[in-house]
Amino acid sequence: MAQAQTTHAATEAHGGAHEDVGFPPFKTETYGGQILWLTITFAALYVLLSKLVLPRLSGIIEHRRTTIASDLDEAAAMKSRAEEAGTAYEKALSEARARAQALAQETRAKVSAETEAKRKELEADLAKRLAEAEAVIATKKAEAMANVRGIAVETASAIVERLTGKAPPPQAVEAAIDQTQA
């Protein structure tokens, strides 16, 4: 029984034996106060948000909007400058190619002209040497041909002498050789 008295004493200490304890917002006796405090809290939060927070947020948003717009304008300007630089680069590159081709053509023509001049000089030198060599050959041939007649006369005389045992007269050998050449 001592235990029952302890439980009963603990229950009485908390406010009575069997009071109906419910969730306070659901109690109809306190609706008026709850609505009043809800209205006051809502109004205070509304004023706080509309006067302090929302102006700051709209200022931040507007600042971001202008920053983004200026960044986009700057990016467009940079893109334009980059395109102009690219166009200038392409123009300079094409001019450099044209100059390089002109220089190569000029060098080719110059080298070709020098080669042609050297070739003509060599051909002239070779023609001169050839003419000199032909003149020397003609001279040697004439000398040789002059000696051939004498050699032919001597050889024919030697052959006739060997065959017949007596030397023929030189005028007869020369007449016979002239007759064979004609």
Side-chain angles (χ1 to χ4, degrees), residues 83-158:
E83 288 174 352
E84 289 172 3
T87 304
Y89 170 76
E90 288 296 326
K91 182 180 177 185
L93 186 62
S94 65
E95 288 175 358
R97 283 183 183 152
R99 279 183 282 163
Q101 287 177 350
L103 183 61
Q105 185 67 27
E106 180 183 318
T107 303
R108 228 179 279 127
K110 187 177 182 182
V111 168
S112 177
E114 288 175 1
T115 304
E116 187 66 24
K118 284 183 181 180
R119 185 184 63 80
K120 286 181 180 181
E121 184 180 313
L122 286 174
E123 283 180 357
D125 186 41
L126 287 175
K128 180 182 169 188
R129 286 184 183 181
L130 184 63
E132 289 173 358
E134 285 177 353
V136 168
I137 290 172
T139 306
K140 295 291 182 185
K141 183 178 178 184
E143 287 176 9
M145 291 308 274
N147 290 336
V148 167
R149 181 167 170 73
I151 293 172
V153 169
E154 287 178 17
T155 305
S157 291

Side-chain angles (χ1 to χ4, degrees), residues 2-65:
Q3 187 178 20
Q5 286 179 350
T6 310
T7 306
H8 181 62
T11 307
E12 286 182 21
H14 288 301
H18 288 289
E19 261 187 54
D20 190 17
V21 178
F23 189 56
F26 292 152
K27 290 188 178 181
T28 55
E29 303 88 36
T30 60
Y31 274 161
Q34 288 177 13
I35 290 177
L36 175 69
W37 282 109
L38 176 66
T39 306
I40 292 171
T41 305
F42 181 76
L45 282 174
Y46 180 78
V47 168
L48 180 70
L49 285 175
S50 67
K51 298 294 182 191
L52 296 176
V53 176
L54 290 178
R56 285 185 185 173
L57 283 178
S58 63
I60 290 171
I61 290 171
E62 187 59 34
H63 177 68
R64 283 191 65 189
R65 187 174 291 136

